[in-house]
Amino acid sequence: MNISPRQILNLLTQKGIIDQQRAKKIEFESIKNNIPITDYLFKNTDIEKKYILESIASLMKVPFVDIASAAIDPQALGFVSEFLARKYGIIPVRFDKQNETLTIVTSDPFDITVTDFLSRKTGKKIVLALGISDDIRKTIDLAYSQSLTPEIKEALKEVQPTLVIKPETSAGAVIKEAPVSKIVNTILEFAVKSRASDIHIEPGYSKTRVRYRIDGILQDKLILPIGIHDAIISRIKILAEMKIDEKRIPQDGRFYFKLGEEEDDLRVSTLPTVNGEKIVLRLLKKTGGLPTLPDLGLKGTPLKNLEAAISRPYGIVLVTGPTGSGKTTTLYSILSQLNKPSVNILTIEDPVEYQIPGINQVQVNHQAGLTFATGLRSFLRQDPNIILVGEIRDKETTQLSIQAALTGHLVFSTLHTSNSATAIPRLIDLGGEPFLIASVLNASLAQRIVRRICTYCKSSYTPGEEAYNSLKQVLGDLLPKIYLDGKPIQLAKGQGCDDCAHSGYLGRIAIFEVLKITPTINSMILKHTTSKEIEDQAKKEGLITMKQDGYLKVLEGTTTIEEILRVSEI
């Protein structure tokens, strides 16, 4: 590759990957040691390969494909055998039927021999794109071995590309459509096997994209012809008992899917877009039981403070965090711990995600006038001991929740705030009187979810000075003394293996902060003190923040610094 050091370093600087000072240092070291700039960048810097290759591809005027995150088109894969893919180190990713063009990712996009051979072999126009050689090899292993792509490829051979389900088509006809049924089943099976929490089926202008949220991260896994999109959507709608002829408004439904011993409850949501209906399926496991609080990641002082708060006979316990941070799972774990024959537990949720034996769960129904507020008002006449309100989002629900706590009930609910201390001014904003909040609030808990390091490919390493200083600064007195005395810190990371789909992560765990409402904080609530001042006082009284809890889990080898920084306030 005839690329001058200045060209590639200028591009990396323009993109904000490195600064001018570092660029000059890299150029100097490369020339001084007589190492080509690309080799030096790969071997002697920590710059991600994809940024380097992206810049190289731009200078070479060839496409670049980040194959690790790209979706694989089953049709494209069908043109090249596994033997040829391994022999030439290539992976087909896209097929443009209109232009008869096959896009193939390779580490050498100027290999004319390969281009000519593949053009003759496939009868298609070949476009070679630059990719990372290690990722190409891993993708070959995944694409040709996993059940997702080959089974769908076979089903696509049986189904007409222009197949569309018309409104007058009967439900039975769609259910009996074997290829479409096979495609939907394979998409669902792969979700269960890969531990996905959500499936996104999204129509584009010419293709349908299937994405899976695995360990909290959305990943492209499949591209399908747009001609079968309506058939797939109709199949899922029938399973979820939704109207297949209604495409103008969003719909909601649910159905059960069983694979082996595992059974999942799937919540289905449709959304009309300019290219067609998008469907999102949320997978909720019916088997396996609920995790305990320690299983979720609570331990030590935060666990002790939370257990003290939930053991009180009345009051309010709030769980805060953004959507998808695991608030509902934490509340269900608490309820399952408190669930005994001697107590009456009522919940009002939107929607009911898990059904727990022994607990009376109510689903919000806005059309029938059943809201959080109306449900909560009815609950007070049902002789409850413990009440769960799915979310406090308006003045009426706030005041009713406080009233329930004042009259001797233990109330649990969620709020969308960034940390535990900001829940207090948020309650006041929603109409809660400070003197009442001070008397009923037991604890405020904030949380986020991070990915666990894969136990099958975990390895240890000594962090650099920047990571060590970050740990020292964030943890402060919480950093074990042995590290302050000079013992080198050993952190963990995943190398990537088949078990974790070469991501280095397998499974998830939560990081927490539990704000204990002490007499001092009570008096600060009465004075309308800001959340920052409340948090500072709580830290003096022993509050372990989410970021600190995360860094302690990093020291334990459970997760990585990168994961903590991804989800927590920096």
Side-chain angles (χ1 to χ4, degrees):
M1 299 178 192
N2 190 18
I3 299 172
S4 73
R6 179 48 49 198
Q7 283 178 301
I8 190 168
L9 291 171
N10 278 344
L11 263 183
L12 290 170
T13 305
Q14 288 167 17
K15 292 175 181 177
I17 309 300
I18 56 174
D19 56 29
Q20 287 284 358
Q21 186 177 354
R22 191 175 180 199
K24 288 177 182 177
K25 184 179 178 182
I26 290 171
E27 184 178 12
F28 174 77
E29 291 294 331
S30 169
I31 295 168
K32 176 186 171 184
N33 296 296
N34 196 27
I35 302 173
I37 186 63
T38 51
D39 291 348
Y40 185 87
L41 287 167
F42 284 135
K43 296 175 184 176
N44 298 86
T45 71
D46 58 356
I47 302 170
E48 284 190 49
K49 282 185 178 180
K50 69 176 180 180
Y51 296 131
I52 301 169
L53 285 178
E54 198 173 25
S55 301
I56 291 170
S58 176
L59 292 168
M60 294 167 65
K61 296 187 173 12
V62 297
F64 170 76
V65 175
D66 182 8
I67 193 66
S69 60
I72 302 296
D73 185 342
Q75 286 185 306
L77 205 67
F79 288 112
V80 179
S81 68
E82 182 178 356
F83 171 76
L84 290 177
R86 293 190 185 281
K87 180 179 178 181
Y88 293 109
I90 58 174
I91 184 76
V93 290
R94 282 192 294 272
F95 176 58
D96 184 344
K97 189 174 181 181
Q98 187 174 354
N99 299 314
E100 291 289 299
T101 301
L102 185 63
T103 302
I104 293 176
V105 183
T106 172
S107 57
D108 184 5
F110 290 107
D111 192 334
I112 298 171
T113 310
V114 172
T115 306
D116 291 344
F117 171 75
L118 290 173
S119 184
R120 291 195 308 271
K121 180 80 176 172
T122 63
K124 312 297 177 189
K125 181 183 175 183
I126 303 298
V127 174
L128 292 184
L130 181 63
I132 302 171
S133 55
D134 289 345
D135 288 345
I136 292 170
R137 190 186 69 253
K138 292 173 184 175
T139 306
I140 290 171
D141 292 338
L142 287 170
Y144 288 99
S145 64
Q146 66 183 224
S147 61
L148 179 67
T149 304
E151 288 188 20
I152 287 183
K153 188 172 68 178
E154 289 302 313
L156 286 173
K157 289 179 183 177
E158 303 172 36
V159 73
Q160 294 297 322
T162 57
L163 178 63
V164 177
I165 301 298
K166 298 177 181 178
E168 62 268 20
T169 304
S170 70
V174 179
I175 290 172
K176 291 173 185 175
E177 186 63 57
V180 173
S181 178
K182 190 185 294 183
I183 290 171
V184 171
N185 280 347
T186 306
I187 288 171
L188 296 177
E189 283 178 17
F190 185 81
V192 174
K193 289 176 183 175
S194 59
R195 303 169 295 101
S197 60
D198 300 87
I199 309 169
H200 293 239
I201 302 175
E202 305 168 330
Y205 177 71
S206 59
K207 301 283 184 183
T208 289
R209 179 171 65 162
V210 181
R211 297 195 290 171
Y212 294 84
R213 190 174 293 281
I214 302 171
D215 291 335
I217 307 294
L218 264 180
Q219 302 177 19
D220 278 2
K221 287 293 181 183
L222 187 64
I223 291 176
L224 296 170
I226 193 65
I228 66 167
H229 179 81
D230 285 349
I232 290 171
I233 298 299
S234 294
R235 168 66 177 160
I236 295 171
K237 279 184 170 182
I238 285 169
L239 290 171
E241 298 183 353
M242 299 156 77
K243 297 176 182 177
I244 64 171
D245 58 338
E246 181 55 82
K247 301 181 180 183
R248 301 164 300 169
I249 59 173
Q251 294 186 67
D252 293 300
R254 68 193 308 162
F255 66 95
Y256 297 108
F257 180 75
K258 191 169 185 179
L259 182 64
E261 294 298 314
E262 185 170 334
E263 187 175 6
D264 287 78
D265 180 4
L266 280 85
R267 286 211 326 259
V268 184
S269 171
T270 69
L271 183 72
T273 73
V274 291
N275 293 313
E277 284 185 286
K278 172 183 173 175
I279 271 193
V280 173
L281 300 98
R282 165 66 59 89
L283 284 81
L284 303 164
K285 295 188 186 303
K286 285 177 66 80
T287 52
L290 285 166
T292 63
L293 293 175
D295 288 339
L296 295 176
L298 271 162
K299 57 174 65 177
T301 303
L303 177 61
K304 181 181 174 183
N305 289 341
L306 180 61
E307 288 187 328
I310 67 175
S311 64
R312 295 179 63 179
Y314 63 90
I316 296 178
V317 175
L318 295 173
V319 180
T320 73
T323 302
S325 59
K327 301 187 296 294
T328 303
T329 303
T330 299
L331 285 172
Y332 281 161
S333 296
I334 292 171
L335 290 186
S336 64
Q337 183 173 320
L338 298 175
N339 188 15
K340 298 171 186 173
S342 57
V343 295
N344 179 23
I345 302 177
L346 298 173
T347 78
I348 176 123
E349 307 169 59
D350 185 18
V352 173
E353 294 195 2
Y354 299 93
Q355 294 183 23
I356 308 173
I359 293 179
N360 304 285
Q361 296 172 269
V362 178
Q363 169 90 38
V364 164
N365 187 337
H366 292 286
Q367 290 179 334
L370 179 55
T371 63
F372 286 125
T374 57
L376 186 51
R377 191 178 287 107
S378 299
F379 280 6
L380 297 177
R381 297 190 293 272
Q382 289 284 320
D383 186 30
N385 299 102
I386 298 170
I387 296 171
L388 166 65
V389 183
E391 183 185 348
I392 293 177
R393 57 173 69 151
D394 55 46
K395 183 176 181 179
E396 190 178 7
T397 309
T398 304
Q399 293 177 343
L400 284 169
S401 298
I402 292 172
Q403 191 61 40
L406 283 169
T407 53
H409 305 92
L410 184 58
V411 180
F412 295 94
S413 191
T414 68
L415 275 176
H416 287 283
T417 61
S418 58
N419 59 32
S420 56
T422 51
I424 295 166
R426 177 73 179 138
L427 272 184
I428 295 172
D429 290 342
L430 286 169
E433 293 289 348
F435 71 94
L436 294 178
I437 293 171
S439 62
V440 298
L441 189 60
N442 292 355
S444 174
L445 179 149
Q447 67 179 80
R448 300 288 189 278
I449 296 179
V450 296
R451 292 179 290 174
R452 283 179 179 269
I453 297 170
C454 174
T455 53
Y456 299 102
C457 61
K458 182 190 283 191
S459 64
S460 60
Y461 71 99
T462 303
E465 186 179 349
E466 187 178 343
Y468 173 76
N469 289 337
S470 178
L471 285 164
K472 189 175 178 182
Q473 181 184 353
V474 171
L475 289 175
D477 294 339
L478 294 173
L479 186 69
K481 191 172 182 298
I482 52 173
Y483 298 130
L484 294 171
D485 291 341
K487 181 182 176 181
I489 291 177
Q490 288 290 299
L491 303 183
K493 62 180 177 181
Q495 296 294 327
C497 63
D498 290 341
D499 290 285
C500 62
H502 300 276
S503 66
Y505 297 97
L506 186 64
R508 294 191 288 174
I509 195 168
I511 58 174
F512 296 93
E513 69 178 38
V514 179
L515 178 65
K516 182 181 178 182
I517 308 301
T518 62
T520 307
I521 291 175
N522 253 328
S523 63
M524 294 175 79
I525 295 172
L526 291 169
K527 296 173 185 175
H528 287 251
T529 311
T530 65
S531 60
K532 181 69 172 65
E533 291 173 306
I534 290 173
E535 184 180 13
D536 290 342
Q537 177 60 33
K539 285 178 182 176
K540 292 176 186 176
E541 297 180 3
L543 173 73
I544 296 174
T545 66
M546 267 188 298
K547 195 168 183 181
Q548 288 176 328
D549 186 44
Y551 272 29
L552 289 171
K553 288 180 170 72
V554 169
L555 284 178
E556 293 169 359
T558 304
T559 187
T560 62
I561 290 178
E562 291 77 15
E563 274 297 286
I564 304 305
L565 296 179
R566 180 177 67 84
V567 303
S568 65
E569 300 291 328
I570 299 173

